[in-house]
PDB file of all heavy atoms in Angstrom:
ATOM      1  N   GLY A 328     -45.564 -75.124  20.006  1.00  0.00           N
ATOM      2  CA  GLY A 328     -44.371 -75.037  20.822  1.00  0.00           C
ATOM      3  C   GLY A 328     -43.197 -74.494  20.029  1.00  0.00           C
ATOM      4  O   GLY A 328     -43.232 -74.436  18.801  1.00  0.00           O
ATOM      5  N   PRO A 329     -42.141 -74.080  20.707  1.00  0.00           N
ATOM      6  CA  PRO A 329     -40.926 -73.651  19.998  1.00  0.00           C
ATOM      7  C   PRO A 329     -40.320 -74.822  19.251  1.00  0.00           C
ATOM      8  O   PRO A 329     -40.496 -75.984  19.618  1.00  0.00           O
ATOM      9  CB  PRO A 329     -40.015 -73.160  21.129  1.00  0.00           C
ATOM     10  CG  PRO A 329     -40.509 -73.856  22.355  1.00  0.00           C
ATOM     11  CD  PRO A 329     -41.986 -74.031  22.174  1.00  0.00           C
ATOM     12  N   PHE A 330     -39.618 -74.519  18.178  1.00  0.00           N
ATOM     13  CA  PHE A 330     -39.072 -75.562  17.313  1.00  0.00           C
ATOM     14  C   PHE A 330     -37.564 -75.638  17.476  1.00  0.00           C
ATOM     15  O   PHE A 330     -36.867 -74.637  17.367  1.00  0.00           O
ATOM     16  CB  PHE A 330     -39.423 -75.284  15.849  1.00  0.00           C
ATOM     17  CG  PHE A 330     -39.019 -76.388  14.921  1.00  0.00           C
ATOM     18  CD1 PHE A 330     -39.793 -77.522  14.797  1.00  0.00           C
ATOM     19  CD2 PHE A 330     -37.853 -76.293  14.189  1.00  0.00           C
ATOM     20  CE1 PHE A 330     -39.412 -78.544  13.943  1.00  0.00           C
ATOM     21  CE2 PHE A 330     -37.460 -77.303  13.334  1.00  0.00           C
ATOM     22  CZ  PHE A 330     -38.249 -78.436  13.212  1.00  0.00           C
ATOM     23  N   TYR A 331     -37.069 -76.848  17.744  1.00  0.00           N
ATOM     24  CA  TYR A 331     -35.634 -77.109  17.879  1.00  0.00           C
ATOM     25  C   TYR A 331     -35.259 -78.272  16.959  1.00  0.00           C
ATOM     26  O   TYR A 331     -36.129 -79.042  16.525  1.00  0.00           O
ATOM     27  CB  TYR A 331     -35.276 -77.458  19.321  1.00  0.00           C
ATOM     28  CG  TYR A 331     -35.695 -76.408  20.328  1.00  0.00           C
ATOM     29  CD1 TYR A 331     -36.772 -76.616  21.178  1.00  0.00           C
ATOM     30  CD2 TYR A 331     -35.018 -75.196  20.422  1.00  0.00           C
ATOM     31  CE1 TYR A 331     -37.170 -75.656  22.094  1.00  0.00           C
ATOM     32  CE2 TYR A 331     -35.407 -74.224  21.335  1.00  0.00           C
ATOM     33  CZ  TYR A 331     -36.480 -74.461  22.167  1.00  0.00           C
ATOM     34  OH  TYR A 331     -36.868 -73.503  23.066  1.00  0.00           O
ATOM     35  N   PRO A 332     -33.967 -78.434  16.659  1.00  0.00           N
ATOM     36  CA  PRO A 332     -33.558 -79.535  15.775  1.00  0.00           C
ATOM     37  C   PRO A 332     -33.991 -80.905  16.285  1.00  0.00           C
ATOM     38  O   PRO A 332     -34.272 -81.812  15.486  1.00  0.00           O
ATOM     39  CB  PRO A 332     -32.022 -79.402  15.742  1.00  0.00           C
ATOM     40  CG  PRO A 332     -31.765 -77.966  16.034  1.00  0.00           C
ATOM     41  CD  PRO A 332     -32.840 -77.543  16.995  1.00  0.00           C
ATOM     42  N   GLU A 333     -34.031 -81.082  17.618  1.00  0.00           N
ATOM     43  CA  GLU A 333     -34.410 -82.387  18.159  1.00  0.00           C
ATOM     44  C   GLU A 333     -35.912 -82.522  18.362  1.00  0.00           C
ATOM     45  O   GLU A 333     -36.385 -83.491  18.949  1.00  0.00           O
ATOM     46  CB  GLU A 333     -33.685 -82.641  19.486  1.00  0.00           C
ATOM     47  CG  GLU A 333     -33.997 -81.641  20.592  1.00  0.00           C
ATOM     48  CD  GLU A 333     -33.103 -80.418  20.558  1.00  0.00           C
ATOM     49  OE1 GLU A 333     -32.386 -80.245  19.560  1.00  0.00           O
ATOM     50  OE2 GLU A 333     -33.124 -79.644  21.528  1.00  0.00           O
ATOM     51  N   THR A 334     -36.692 -81.565  17.864  1.00  0.00           N
ATOM     52  CA  THR A 334     -38.143 -81.578  18.009  1.00  0.00           C
ATOM     53  C   THR A 334     -38.790 -82.028  16.716  1.00  0.00           C
ATOM     54  O   THR A 334     -38.406 -81.590  15.631  1.00  0.00           O
ATOM     55  CB  THR A 334     -38.663 -80.175  18.382  1.00  0.00           C
ATOM     56  OG1 THR A 334     -37.992 -79.731  19.558  1.00  0.00           O
ATOM     57  CG2 THR A 334     -40.156 -80.206  18.632  1.00  0.00           C
ATOM     58  N   ALA A 335     -39.781 -82.891  16.841  1.00  0.00           N
ATOM     59  CA  ALA A 335     -40.564 -83.322  15.686  1.00  0.00           C
ATOM     60  C   ALA A 335     -41.944 -82.702  15.759  1.00  0.00           C
ATOM     61  O   ALA A 335     -42.495 -82.497  16.839  1.00  0.00           O
ATOM     62  CB  ALA A 335     -40.683 -84.846  15.650  1.00  0.00           C
ATOM     63  N   CYS A 336     -42.512 -82.367  14.602  1.00  0.00           N
ATOM     64  CA  CYS A 336     -43.888 -81.885  14.551  1.00  0.00           C
ATOM     65  C   CYS A 336     -44.824 -83.088  14.595  1.00  0.00           C
ATOM     66  O   CYS A 336     -44.580 -84.100  13.929  1.00  0.00           O
ATOM     67  CB  CYS A 336     -44.134 -81.088  13.278  1.00  0.00           C
ATOM     68  SG  CYS A 336     -43.261 -79.506  13.228  1.00  0.00           S
ATOM     69  N   THR A 347     -36.233 -89.033  17.245  1.00  0.00           N
ATOM     70  CA  THR A 347     -36.496 -87.689  17.756  1.00  0.00           C
ATOM     71  C   THR A 347     -37.240 -87.779  19.078  1.00  0.00           C
ATOM     72  O   THR A 347     -38.319 -88.370  19.140  1.00  0.00           O
ATOM     73  CB  THR A 347     -37.333 -86.884  16.746  1.00  0.00           C
ATOM     74  OG1 THR A 347     -36.644 -86.862  15.497  1.00  0.00           O
ATOM     75  CG2 THR A 347     -37.526 -85.470  17.226  1.00  0.00           C
ATOM     76  N   PHE A 349     -38.696 -85.452  21.162  1.00  0.00           N
ATOM     77  CA  PHE A 349     -39.786 -84.565  21.547  1.00  0.00           C
ATOM     78  C   PHE A 349     -40.677 -84.259  20.355  1.00  0.00           C
ATOM     79  O   PHE A 349     -40.220 -84.196  19.215  1.00  0.00           O
ATOM     80  CB  PHE A 349     -39.237 -83.255  22.131  1.00  0.00           C
ATOM     81  CG  PHE A 349     -38.329 -83.454  23.306  1.00  0.00           C
ATOM     82  CD1 PHE A 349     -36.960 -83.244  23.192  1.00  0.00           C
ATOM     83  CD2 PHE A 349     -38.830 -83.862  24.531  1.00  0.00           C
ATOM     84  CE1 PHE A 349     -36.112 -83.437  24.267  1.00  0.00           C
ATOM     85  CE2 PHE A 349     -37.996 -84.050  25.615  1.00  0.00           C
ATOM     86  CZ  PHE A 349     -36.639 -83.844  25.481  1.00  0.00           C
ATOM     87  N   THR A 351     -44.077 -81.605  19.102  1.00  0.00           N
ATOM     88  CA  THR A 351     -44.881 -80.429  19.398  1.00  0.00           C
ATOM     89  C   THR A 351     -45.862 -80.225  18.265  1.00  0.00           C
ATOM     90  O   THR A 351     -45.663 -80.742  17.158  1.00  0.00           O
ATOM     91  CB  THR A 351     -43.997 -79.179  19.568  1.00  0.00           C
ATOM     92  OG1 THR A 351     -44.808 -78.101  20.030  1.00  0.00           O
ATOM     93  CG2 THR A 351     -43.346 -78.787  18.256  1.00  0.00           C
ATOM     94  N   TYR A 420     -46.122 -68.388  14.166  1.00  0.00           N
ATOM     95  CA  TYR A 420     -44.692 -68.375  13.862  1.00  0.00           C
ATOM     96  C   TYR A 420     -44.367 -67.132  13.034  1.00  0.00           C
ATOM     97  O   TYR A 420     -45.214 -66.618  12.296  1.00  0.00           O
ATOM     98  CB  TYR A 420     -44.270 -69.615  13.062  1.00  0.00           C
ATOM     99  CG  TYR A 420     -44.303 -70.902  13.844  1.00  0.00           C
ATOM    100  CD1 TYR A 420     -45.446 -71.692  13.873  1.00  0.00           C
ATOM    101  CD2 TYR A 420     -43.192 -71.343  14.551  1.00  0.00           C
ATOM    102  CE1 TYR A 420     -45.480 -72.882  14.583  1.00  0.00           C
ATOM    103  CE2 TYR A 420     -43.202 -72.529  15.266  1.00  0.00           C
ATOM    104  CZ  TYR A 420     -44.360 -73.297  15.278  1.00  0.00           C
ATOM    105  OH  TYR A 420     -44.395 -74.458  15.982  1.00  0.00           O
ATOM    106  N   GLN A 431     -40.906 -69.363  16.589  1.00  0.00           N
ATOM    107  CA  GLN A 431     -42.189 -69.165  17.242  1.00  0.00           C
ATOM    108  C   GLN A 431     -42.378 -67.691  17.613  1.00  0.00           C
ATOM    109  O   GLN A 431     -41.449 -67.034  18.071  1.00  0.00           O
ATOM    110  CB  GLN A 431     -42.280 -70.025  18.500  1.00  0.00           C
ATOM    111  CG  GLN A 431     -43.585 -69.885  19.268  1.00  0.00           C
ATOM    112  CD  GLN A 431     -43.507 -70.482  20.659  1.00  0.00           C
ATOM    113  OE1 GLN A 431     -42.448 -70.445  21.298  1.00  0.00           O
ATOM    114  NE2 GLN A 431     -44.594 -71.047  21.139  1.00  0.00           N
ATOM    115  N   GLU A 433     -43.532 -65.457  20.172  1.00  0.00           N
ATOM    116  CA  GLU A 433     -43.871 -65.542  21.594  1.00  0.00           C
ATOM    117  C   GLU A 433     -45.025 -64.609  21.971  1.00  0.00           C
ATOM    118  O   GLU A 433     -45.716 -64.836  22.966  1.00  0.00           O
ATOM    119  CB  GLU A 433     -42.638 -65.221  22.430  1.00  0.00           C
ATOM    120  CG  GLU A 433     -41.516 -66.231  22.265  1.00  0.00           C
ATOM    121  CD  GLU A 433     -40.261 -65.846  23.030  1.00  0.00           C
ATOM    122  OE1 GLU A 433     -39.855 -64.675  22.932  1.00  0.00           O
ATOM    123  OE2 GLU A 433     -39.708 -66.722  23.725  1.00  0.00           O
ATOM    124  N   ASP A 457     -44.758 -77.758   8.976  1.00  0.00           N
ATOM    125  CA  ASP A 457     -43.501 -78.077   9.652  1.00  0.00           C
ATOM    126  C   ASP A 457     -42.456 -77.018   9.308  1.00  0.00           C
ATOM    127  O   ASP A 457     -42.226 -76.737   8.128  1.00  0.00           O
ATOM    128  CB  ASP A 457     -43.017 -79.462   9.198  1.00  0.00           C
ATOM    129  CG  ASP A 457     -41.947 -80.043  10.107  1.00  0.00           C
ATOM    130  OD1 ASP A 457     -41.100 -79.275  10.583  1.00  0.00           O
ATOM    131  OD2 ASP A 457     -41.966 -81.263  10.329  1.00  0.00           O
ATOM    132  N   PRO A 458     -41.808 -76.404  10.314  1.00  0.00           N
ATOM    133  CA  PRO A 458     -40.732 -75.448  10.011  1.00  0.00           C
ATOM    134  C   PRO A 458     -39.592 -76.069   9.209  1.00  0.00           C
ATOM    135  O   PRO A 458     -38.854 -75.350   8.534  1.00  0.00           O
ATOM    136  CB  PRO A 458     -40.249 -75.008  11.406  1.00  0.00           C
ATOM    137  CG  PRO A 458     -41.441 -75.205  12.283  1.00  0.00           C
ATOM    138  CD  PRO A 458     -42.125 -76.436  11.757  1.00  0.00           C
ATOM    139  N   ASP A 459     -39.447 -77.399   9.297  1.00  0.00           N
ATOM    140  CA  ASP A 459     -38.456 -78.099   8.486  1.00  0.00           C
ATOM    141  C   ASP A 459     -39.080 -78.383   7.117  1.00  0.00           C
ATOM    142  O   ASP A 459     -39.899 -79.287   6.959  1.00  0.00           O
ATOM    143  CB  ASP A 459     -38.055 -79.407   9.177  1.00  0.00           C
ATOM    144  CG  ASP A 459     -36.929 -80.135   8.461  1.00  0.00           C
ATOM    145  OD1 ASP A 459     -36.817 -79.987   7.231  1.00  0.00           O
ATOM    146  OD2 ASP A 459     -36.174 -80.862   9.115  1.00  0.00           O
ATOM    147  N   ARG A 462     -38.866 -81.947   5.711  1.00  0.00           N
ATOM    148  CA  ARG A 462     -39.735 -82.925   6.386  1.00  0.00           C
ATOM    149  C   ARG A 462     -41.194 -82.746   5.961  1.00  0.00           C
ATOM    150  O   ARG A 462     -41.915 -83.719   5.756  1.00  0.00           O
ATOM    151  CB  ARG A 462     -39.589 -82.799   7.897  1.00  0.00           C
ATOM    152  CG  ARG A 462     -40.104 -84.007   8.661  1.00  0.00           C
ATOM    153  CD  ARG A 462     -39.524 -84.048  10.056  1.00  0.00           C
ATOM    154  NE  ARG A 462     -39.864 -82.860  10.826  1.00  0.00           N
ATOM    155  CZ  ARG A 462     -39.237 -82.525  11.950  1.00  0.00           C
ATOM    156  NH1 ARG A 462     -38.230 -83.255  12.400  1.00  0.00           N
ATOM    157  NH2 ARG A 462     -39.588 -81.455  12.621  1.00  0.00           N
TER     158      ARG A 462
END
Side-chain angles (χ1 to χ4, degrees):
F330 186 80
Y331 304 106
E333 61 273 11
T334 305
C336 291
T347 304
F349 303 108
T351 188
Y420 290 91
Q431 180 194 33
E433 295 176 313
D457 196 322
D459 185 331
R462 197 161 60 195

